[in-house]
Structures are given as C-alpha cells and as structure tokens.
Amino acid sequence: SYHDGKGGDSVTAVKHWRRFCGEAAPDGSYVRALEWNATRAERLDEEYLVMRFACWLVVEVGVQPSTAEGYVSTVQAWHARRFGCRLAGGMPMARLKALYKGMTAAQGGVRPKKKRLGLKPRQLARLMAQLLGEGSALEANWRACCSVGFCGLLRGAELGVASGEAWAASTGVSRADVAFRRREGREEAVIMMRPRKQGARKTQQGKQVPVLLTSGGKFLDPVKALKELFVRDPVPEHERAATPLFRGMDGKAFSTARVRGVVKKLVELDGGDAKLYGAHSLRIGGATAALAAGVSALVIKAMGRWGSDVFELSLIHI
C-alpha cells in the first residue's frame, strides 16, 4: 500500500472520496477522524456522510451499488491506514449495509453491465488501413496500439492511462519494456507489463507478466506494427524507459478515453453503432477471434490474465 509513497491516495475510490468530501462534508475535509470519546450522535452523523457518499457514487458517478460498496470498503481501509482510524469512529454502520440492499432493489436487482461488442480481425485491419494508412508517426502509434491491444488481449487501462492520471514508468508500459526476438523462424515481441484489475496480483510489484506476440497473422501483425512504430517514432535508447509505448505527438501517453474514441471512430467509419464499442472491444474481439480459431478456453484465460471464468460468459453473448 505504501510502495509508491502515496499510501493509496491515488486509487479511484479515494479520489472520489476526496472530491465528495470537498463538496459535501461540513468542513470540506476528507479526514474524518473522531476522538475516542465522540458521542453517538457524532458517530451517526459520520455514518450518514458515508451513506451519502455511497448514494453519490451510484447517482452522480453512475456505478452499481455493489461497486459503491467496494469503493467505500477501499476508502475505509485507506483511512485506517493513513489516519489510524476507520470512518464513523469504527462503528459497524448497519444502516449503510441496508442502504446497499435498498439501492440494488430500487434498480430492480443487479443492473446489467453496459453491452460491448468486439471488433473482428478482418474488420479492424481494413478500417486501420483506411483511417491510419498515411504512415505518420502518430498513425504508427495508433496502428500498433490497436494491433497489440487486439492480439495481446489488453485492457483499455493497459493500453492507456485513465483520465486525470499521469503515466508512470513503474506501472505503465514503456518502449524499454518491448523486446524483439526470432524463434523457430518467426518474429516475436515480448512486452513486460504490470496487469490492471488482476485480483491477487494487485499486490505484486514491478512488471512481471510477459505478453507474447507473434508475427505472420492473416489480418493483423502486432510485431510488424511495433517495429514500424519504432521506425516511424524513434526514441533514443537511453530515453526508452521513460517513454510511453503508445503516445501522442506531445510525448504523452494515450489516455483510455482517446483509445475508446479511436475505436468508436473506426466503427463509425464502418457504419456501426459506436455506442456498442469502446477500448474493451479490442480485448473482446481478440478473445473471440482466438476462440473461433480453436484456441482453448484455458489458454485464452491465461493470455487475457483473467482471474475467473467470467470471460466465458462474455464470449457466449457475443
């Protein structure tokens, strides 16, 4: 929790908490430490503030009640770590638990996740040729980003950085994290990365997970796209560790929102409904294409760094 020197201050749940308290807390402070002899009324007021935070997450931020519950739990642990005490003076907050159930019931049960469709390899190759075929450095970044995201089953947060966050060499993929090699007559690229949203692996430090990409694809060749990127947008070797793998001409890493926007633009070019596509459509499309090509579900699960079998449910509905 403290390896980055921030004690978890930068996680999404804590960012939401700090923003909410700045707007809604009586004193505007996100530090809610009560004295040991605080009255019951004071503790109930603090519980009510946390309940309002949970409602704000669902109504204003738009998350599901179950997600709000997870965010509040994260803030609880962070507050205890940073300030030595839990929210509401450590009281059980029974009303908060009832609130989650009530919000779920008010939505008619568990709200279905937003539908997302995957791109097809032939479709993606054709659209990139149309939209990103001029050969500029920026286009080379986007061709490599889309090809690697599709073939490497990368999440949007692994291709770019979340809005409001800054790219960091310790967690983001850099040019130095890519190695090319030739094995059994085929060109390969290995990208070392630190996965996002990986359950138990969240506690692992450093880039310990390799993403293996091979050349020679019928429609997409991520190795060729990466090599073209290194030619079109060269970076001195001593600067590669501090350079995002995929970046704009301002030198900054692509944001997840920009990746999402490019995918939507590609879909619109093909006459599709952009609302059904996003950055995750690359990952969905890659997994679906692998399944259609006869790759076993177990291998796809390992490739995609899934910690559960939930990916099988996603593929069934595509």
Side-chain angles (χ1 to χ4, degrees):
S1 301
Y2 285 96
H3 81 280
D4 60 358
K6 299 178 181 178
D9 291 359
S10 59
V11 301
T12 301
V14 173
K15 287 183 177 179
H16 284 317
W17 172 251
R18 296 175 69 161
R19 176 186 163 197
F20 169 79
C21 288
E23 299 173 356
D27 56 1
S29 174
Y30 56 84
V31 181
R32 313 305 304 173
L34 290 177
E35 295 295 333
W36 67 271
N37 59 348
T39 65
R40 180 170 180 77
E42 290 173 326
R43 294 175 190 271
L44 289 173
D45 284 344
E46 290 298 308
E47 180 194 36
Y48 183 58
L49 181 66
V50 178
M51 292 172 66
R52 289 174 58 198
F53 173 55
C55 289
W56 178 82
L57 287 169
V58 173
V59 176
E60 298 297 332
V61 180
V63 304
Q64 296 189 37
S66 59
T67 302
E69 184 176 5
Y71 279 179
V72 172
S73 178
T74 297
V75 171
Q76 278 274 38
W78 164 82
H79 198 277
R81 227 173 24 243
R82 295 284 271 119
F83 309 113
C85 60
R86 294 173 66 83
L87 299 173
M91 67 181 293
M93 292 198 285
R95 293 187 300 174
L96 178 62
K97 295 177 182 179
L99 177 65
Y100 297 136
K101 295 180 180 179
M103 288 192 292
T104 300
Q107 291 183 346
V110 178
R111 189 173 61 191
K113 291 186 177 181
K114 185 181 294 184
K115 186 177 181 180
R116 280 285 179 261
L117 298 181
L119 291 165
K120 298 179 176 63
R122 184 197 297 268
Q123 174 193 28
L124 179 58
R126 173 172 51 80
L127 293 174
M128 287 198 299
Q130 293 180 38
L131 188 64
L132 307 170
E134 297 299 323
S136 69
L138 181 59
E139 288 171 329
N141 273 276
W142 280 116
R143 283 197 301 274
C145 178
C146 292
S147 299
V148 170
F150 188 98
C151 297
L153 308 186
L154 268 61
R155 297 179 173 88
E158 294 166 346
L159 291 169
V161 294
S163 299
E165 292 186 5
W167 182 86
S170 60
T171 54
V173 181
S174 73
R175 294 286 176 91
D177 294 322
V178 181
F180 297 100
R181 69 188 188 190
R182 189 172 186 84
R183 187 174 62 167
E184 299 179 358
R186 176 176 291 185
E187 294 286 341
E188 296 181 342
V190 180
I191 303 176
M192 296 302 298
M193 60 172 288
R194 182 181 177 187
R196 303 293 294 267
K197 196 178 179 180
Q198 186 55 17
R201 286 185 179 174
K202 286 181 179 180
T203 59
Q204 292 184 359
Q205 307 305 324
K207 301 171 185 177
Q208 302 179 21
V209 177
V211 176
L212 175 63
L213 303 167
T214 59
S215 63
K218 185 176 180 180
F219 301 110
L220 299 170
D221 191 328
V223 179
K224 181 179 178 181
L226 281 170
K227 285 193 168 184
E228 184 70 13
L229 168 62
F230 278 58
V231 171
R232 297 288 183 182
D233 186 19
V235 176
E237 188 169 353
H238 68 278
E239 296 180 6
R240 289 181 180 178
T243 303
L245 178 55
F246 309 120
R247 62 175 185 167
M249 292 301 92
D250 56 1
K252 296 182 179 180
F254 288 157
S255 66
T256 303
R258 288 188 68 186
V259 176
R260 184 185 311 118
V262 165
V263 170
K264 289 181 178 294
K265 189 172 183 179
L266 289 170
V267 170
E268 289 175 344
L269 184 65
D270 205 34
D273 186 354
K275 291 185 294 185
L276 300 178
Y277 294 82
H280 211 66
S281 295
L282 297 170
R283 178 173 166 87
I284 295 171
T288 306
L291 189 68
V295 180
S296 74
L298 184 61
V299 171
I300 295 173
K301 181 176 178 178
M303 288 172 56
R305 302 163 303 284
W306 273 283
S308 70
D309 295 326
V310 70
F311 80 102
E312 294 182 346
L313 300 177
S314 300
L315 294 177
I316 288 171
H317 292 91
I318 292 174

